Amino acid sequence: MARQDQNPKPVSRSTSEQRTQHAETWSSGARYASEAFGAFLLVLGGVGTAVLASSFPDDGNALGVGFLGVALAFGLSLMGGIYAVGHISGGHFNPAVTVGAAVAGRTEWRHVPGYVVAQIVGGVGGAAVVAGVVADGPAGAFAAARESGFASNGWGELSPGGFGLGAVLLIEVVLTAVFVGVILSVTAKKEYAALAPLAIGLTLTLIHLVSIPVSNTSVNPARSIAAAVFAGPDALGQVWAFVVAPLVGAVVAGVAHRALRRAA
């Protein structure tokens, strides 16, 4: 019988989900790469659908997927990413989810900066691919995509329905709190593990159906930053709201989740 190592090498485990799935075998680099990939896929699928297919080739064409198609694209992209690499990083792909999980005690704060940077880099990479495709499209396609907002978030003239800042902040805070709360709940029990990505993806789809007309739906600062980079100065000037509001909602969800667990 082989002699067992009496002094095994210490391991790093950042989330309860990772501990359950033995993700201590994954390095920090692997976790950050997984978060970058997930954010890349989410933006490529969601923003790509919004820019390239939501009204293809114009508003009168029945082949356009519309709001429902965009909502499904975001939900399906998130679901696929979680199934693909969620066992490595926990499948956040969203700074708000990472912060909410940290507040809830489900992710160590020391990992938050690496996750957030990876998510933003991955999201911008996904938007860059969409921009590259549009740039090689019909004449004027890239200018038209920027003129239409490049699926960025906003209020006032940049809101699809012309909603004001107050409405946008309110819906982003509330829906992010709901989204992060659902994630924290469905990932808290082993018996939900197989269905958790499905529940999370469908929740994101529902959130988009509610809020696309109001804010074009963020609930994810990485997604908002990625789209704003290619949308231009107007979108960049408003992107702060889609960093602050989702983070506030995430903190609310994290505090509530922790309080309810203690009460139980």
Side-chain angles (χ1 to χ4, degrees), residues 18 35 78 81-82 85-94 97 115 183 200:
Q18 291 169 332
E35 285 297 303
L78 178 59
I82 296 173
V85 297
H87 62 289
I88 298 175
S89 66
H92 298 179
F93 317 148
N94 179 343
V97 174
Y115 270 52
I183 292 171
I200 293 168

Side-chain angles (χ1 to χ4, degrees), residues 69-249:
V70 173
L72 284 169
F74 273 102
L76 292 171
S77 298
L78 178 59
M79 192 188 309
I82 296 173
Y83 274 123
V85 297
H87 62 289
I88 298 175
S89 66
H92 298 179
F93 317 148
N94 179 343
V97 174
T98 299
V99 169
V103 171
R106 300 270 295 277
T107 292
E108 295 176 19
W109 281 102
R110 64 191 180 91
H111 290 295
V112 171
Y115 270 52
V116 171
V117 170
Q119 290 155 1
I120 293 173
V121 170
V124 172
V129 171
V130 176
V133 171
V134 175
D136 196 33
F142 187 77
R146 291 194 70 185
E147 181 67 24
S148 66
F150 206 83
S152 61
N153 306 112
W155 66 85
E157 292 183 355
L158 300 187
S159 162
F163 288 84
L165 176 59
V168 164
L169 291 175
L170 177 60
I171 202 165
E172 287 290 333
V173 169
V174 171
L175 291 181
T176 305
V178 169
F179 184 47
V180 175
V182 168
I183 292 171
L184 293 173
S185 295
V186 301
T187 57
K189 294 185 177 181
K190 293 181 181 179
E191 55 265 36
Y192 295 161
L195 294 177
L198 178 62
I200 293 168
L202 289 176
T203 299
L204 186 61
T205 298
L206 174 61
I207 284 170
H208 276 78
L209 290 174
V210 173
S211 59
I212 286 177
V214 180
S215 64
N216 218 19
T217 311
S218 172
V219 302
N220 184 339
R223 168 263 190 272
S224 296
I225 292 169
V229 166
F230 294 94
D234 290 341
L236 285 169
Q238 293 190 359
V239 76
W240 64 268
F242 303 98
V243 174
V244 173
L247 291 180
V248 171

